[in-house]
Amino acid sequence: MYNIAFKKVTKAFGETVVVNNMDFEVKEGERMILLGPSGCGKSTTLRIIAGLESITSGDLYMNGVRMNDIPCGRRGVSMVFQNYAIYPHMSVKENIIYGLKAAKMDRTEIGRRLKEVLSMLQLEPYADRKPRELSGGQRQRVALARAIVRRSNYFLLDEPLSNLDAQLRLHARKELVRIHEIYGQTMVYVTHDQVEAMTIGQRIALMHNGALAMLDTPQNVYDHPADVFCARFIGSPAMNIVRVVSVGSGICLGSNCINLPESWKKVVEKHRAKFYYAGIRPEHLSLTEEDGSGVIECDVVYCENYGGRCGISVKPRGSKEEMIVLSDGPEPKPGDGVRVRLDFTRLHLFDADSEKNLGDPVF
Ligand code: ADP
Ligand code: MG
């Protein structure tokens, strides 16, 4: 079983803890994403798997074997770094097959793998070029190709697509998933890009300050964020998070007080706090002409055109906070008064102190 199990793994540099008590498992053959903002400890976590970083406390198991003291070369990993290093004096082709030749692989097999990977990453025209004759994106693909041809049990990638332009990145994303489906390696993929995480990952480990904030499927991270941090990190434009006051039968945003449906009342009654953070995604708010439950009176601040849709920033009356409403209807003008309907089935309430999600009501 080529799985990876973190057992309370902590890594400190001197006094500074950068990976904090990580306890999770990457299943065999899974595409696991390590996602989080810059500096949260993603690369360090990946380097721990690769054996390039020692563990301060806790244990790492791969394939059931404790890895803490096993050197990188004996872990069966291939890795693509953020700052990939390819040999400047070798051609693209030579760079890609260097490791296979060093491992004395059969020449016809090397040829077969090289041909396949050149085509997969659209590198055929550059096979005989030197790295200095390539763009940054092309060099990054050479680094990817070099890791792919090895077909190791574990495939570790650290922001491998960051130097590609938008179109190539889209293509490479699809190709990576396809490659993974062919070879079925256990894959750990580091990125700070939530779109990349959602589209490539089978599960996402969302990291915050060196610790695991949430680990689940992309859909569950989007639908049921564990806390305000997770809620804000996934989705674009980001989820609206506004402070609300709890009143008897509902919640108030500024001077708008809205009645909560029975299912939500039960959640709030159980929790009994005065303030909450309400979270609602821009795509779950809509402009409406009607009055009624879940409708908030707002003023338009500005509109951002996304082409086909616009993000309308609005301020609920009596509130200082803004929310974004995603709309494909006609664009209102700044200063216009609008009614915004919120979808109670897509609402989240977070504890104002711990910022944890209160949990979904039963509708
Ligand atoms: P990420 O990949 O999520 O951006 P890193 O794992 O690279 O984050 O780094 C996490 C934290 O650890 C950062 O604050 C970084 O400055 C620190 N760090 C990384 N490597 C070292 C090191 N060798 N010595 C001291 N601090 C380090
Ligand atoms: Mg990093």
Side-chain angles (χ1 to χ4, degrees):
M1 275 258 295
Y2 295 114
N3 64 341
I4 305 169
F6 280 77
K7 308 268 188 201
K8 298 194 162 58
V9 171
T10 291
K11 169 72 187 176
F13 292 107
E15 296 284 286
T16 319
V17 173
V18 301
V19 172
N20 194 355
N21 203 23
M22 291 279 262
D23 206 83
F24 72 102
E25 185 186 336
V26 185
K27 295 182 200 142
E28 178 173 72
E30 181 175 34
R31 284 194 304 278
M32 173 70 84
I33 310 288
L34 296 179
L35 175 69
S38 175
C40 72
K42 305 179 296 293
S43 294
T44 308
T45 305
L46 197 73
R47 290 168 57 83
I48 287 172
I49 301 172
L52 299 170
E53 213 70 81
S54 66
I55 293 173
T56 309
S57 67
D59 296 302
L60 176 76
Y61 288 86
M62 290 162 72
N63 194 15
V65 182
R66 185 173 176 273
M67 283 289 134
N68 296 41
D69 306 311
I70 308 283
C72 176
R74 287 178 36 214
R75 294 192 183 192
V77 301
S78 52
M79 185 155 173
V80 185
F81 293 98
Q82 198 164 3
N83 300 313
Y84 46 87
I86 49 181
Y87 299 114
H89 58 284
M90 291 185 192
S91 68
V92 165
K93 204 156 74 183
E94 288 161 344
N95 261 289
I96 294 172
I97 62 175
Y98 177 77
L100 304 185
K101 276 166 76 180
K104 303 215 163 36
M105 185 180 282
D106 172 63
R107 285 181 63 170
T108 41
E109 177 61 16
I110 293 181
R112 196 158 41 224
R113 289 192 187 187
L114 175 67
K115 191 158 175 282
E116 184 187 86
V117 82
L118 286 173
S119 140
M120 187 183 289
L121 294 172
Q122 303 176 330
L123 281 169
E124 289 123 325
Y126 316 107
D128 295 310
R129 288 205 198 168
K130 293 277 167 55
R132 65 169 181 279
E133 299 162 320
L134 302 175
S135 71
Q138 289 161 347
R139 276 182 230 155
Q140 199 156 26
R141 277 185 280 156
V142 175
L144 257 177
R146 191 177 52 184
I148 289 168
V149 287
R150 292 181 49 201
R151 299 191 195 162
S152 315
N153 298 326
Y154 301 95
F155 193 22
L156 311 179
L157 305 106
D158 193 344
E159 315 233 9
L161 310 183
S162 53
N163 286 343
L164 305 187
D165 63 43
Q167 220 167 0
L168 255 178
R169 192 153 48 199
L170 207 99
H171 175 79
R173 241 163 41 200
K174 285 199 201 127
E175 282 301 305
L176 266 177
V177 172
R178 201 176 64 85
I179 293 162
H180 178 263
E181 273 160 8
I182 296 169
Y183 301 124
Q185 296 148 300
T186 305
M187 177 165 149
V188 184
Y189 186 105
V190 164
T191 181
H192 65 272
D193 178 344
Q194 55 102 15
V195 177
E196 227 168 84
M198 295 290 285
T199 51
I200 296 175
Q202 290 170 319
R203 287 197 301 161
I204 296 175
L206 183 47
M207 291 183 67
H208 188 203
N209 294 335
L212 205 53
M214 185 171 185
L215 194 158
D216 214 322
T217 60
Q219 197 60 49
N220 282 343
V221 179
Y222 175 88
D223 286 334
H224 312 284
D227 57 22
V228 170
F229 169 81
C230 300
R232 281 211 176 102
F233 205 83
I234 296 279
S236 175
M239 186 188 285
N240 298 298
I241 307 278
V242 291
R243 205 173 143 87
V244 295
V245 184
S246 171
V247 293
S249 57
I251 50 172
C252 300
L253 286 88
S255 53
N256 288 271
C257 288
I258 47 180
N259 272 328
L260 287 172
E262 284 306 317
S263 46
W264 266 116
K265 271 187 208 158
K266 286 198 186 110
V267 176
V268 173
E269 272 160 18
K270 213 165 97 190
H271 209 73
R272 296 167 160 270
K274 184 76 192 130
F275 301 103
Y276 296 101
Y277 287 115
I280 184 96
R281 296 191 182 279
E283 54 271 39
H284 302 143
L285 288 173
S286 53
L287 297 187
T288 177
E289 298 289 322
E290 296 157 34
D291 206 348
S293 91
V295 173
I296 309 162
E297 302 280 347
C298 300
D299 294 306
V300 174
V301 183
Y302 70 92
C303 296
E304 194 171 36
N305 192 339
Y306 302 134
R309 296 206 288 183
C310 55
I312 308 168
S313 286
V314 299
K315 246 186 213 171
R317 296 259 160 86
S319 166
K320 291 195 176 70
E321 294 177 291
E322 286 180 23
M323 305 192 298
I324 295 181
V325 182
L326 215 51
S327 162
D328 51 12
E331 217 175 286
K333 282 185 286 301
D336 284 358
V338 289
R339 284 187 174 142
V340 173
R341 178 186 299 286
L342 108 127
D343 178 353
F344 284 114
T345 64
R346 310 308 293 261
L347 172 70
H348 302 278
L349 289 180
F350 302 94
D351 182 276
D353 296 320
S354 69
E355 303 198 348
K356 295 254 179 274
N357 200 330
L358 301 194
D360 299 328
V362 186
F363 286 102

